[in-house]
Amino acid sequence: MLDQFSFTLPTEVIRGRKRIVRVYRPDFVSADERIPVLYMHDGQNVFDGKTATIGEGWSIDRHIEDLKLPLMVVAIASAPDWLDRYDEYSFYEDEMLYRRIGPELAKTRPTLGGRGRAYADWLMKELKPWIDERYATDPDDVGVMGSSMGGVISLYMMTAYPSIRRVGSLSTAA
């Protein structure tokens, strides 16, 4: 089962853009069985290539089905602009990258990075309770995973939220 919802993240309040969140729960698990949840960043890349940034998704739902793994996945789409994505997945302002993006891009924004804490807090304090309320989850068995800067924010979340039991960070940025 794949459900889709739309949320406004705290990092998007000014622009008012909504973000797609997809929830996958395997059909072979009964609806009332409590199972672990893996929150995945760059959610547009998690399932199929139609929504993926580079046209090829991770097909995680098929892997879960093949392995008969009792695991629910919540995939949060990233900001469509790469600089906004960097803002959201970086927990500190990045002065060096800000200088490297060039003067034209630098004119379009006062800072680069630093919104990762707000994103992580939203995920753990708003989205996770919302998911736990609507689905049979094991609220104490939580993982986060991402690639590139999604991996960086996953590592940050591991340190900020000791309740996170599993972390996947596929990143040369980390």
Side-chain angles (χ1 to χ4, degrees), residues 35-74:
I35 59 174
V37 181
L38 178 63
Y39 290 87
M40 296 185 73
H41 316 293
D42 291 312
Q44 70 277 5
N45 300 328
V46 170
F47 299 111
D48 73 42
K50 291 179 199 141
T51 60
T53 304
I54 57 170
E56 190 170 329
W58 289 11
S59 303
I60 193 144
D61 50 335
R62 282 188 278 159
H63 297 296
I64 288 171
E65 292 284 337
D66 290 347
L67 296 169
K68 296 292 183 217
L69 188 64
L71 177 68
M72 193 166 112
V73 174
V74 177

Side-chain angles (χ1 to χ4, degrees), residues 104-170:
E104 291 306 309
L105 272 179
K107 283 185 216 174
T108 67
R109 51 195 328 111
T111 61
L112 184 59
R115 295 186 183 158
R117 287 180 181 94
Y119 169 77
D121 287 347
W122 170 80
L123 193 155
M124 294 300 289
K125 295 177 181 175
E126 293 182 41
L127 180 61
K128 181 187 176 310
W130 190 89
I131 293 291
D132 290 343
E133 187 177 294
R134 284 160 181 75
Y135 296 91
T137 66
D138 179 345
D140 298 321
D141 199 346
V142 178
V144 292
M145 182 176 179
S147 63
S148 190
M149 284 303 294
V152 171
I153 195 65
S154 294
L155 290 173
Y156 165 75
M157 290 179 71
M158 174 185 69
T159 64
Y161 292 95
S163 61
I164 292 174
R165 288 187 173 180
R166 295 173 182 81
V167 174
S169 177
L170 312 171

Side-chain angles (χ1 to χ4, degrees), residues 24-36:
Y24 168 75
R25 186 177 170 93
D27 292 330
F28 62 84
V29 176
S30 70
D32 59 347
E33 182 180 343
R34 295 190 173 282
I35 59 174

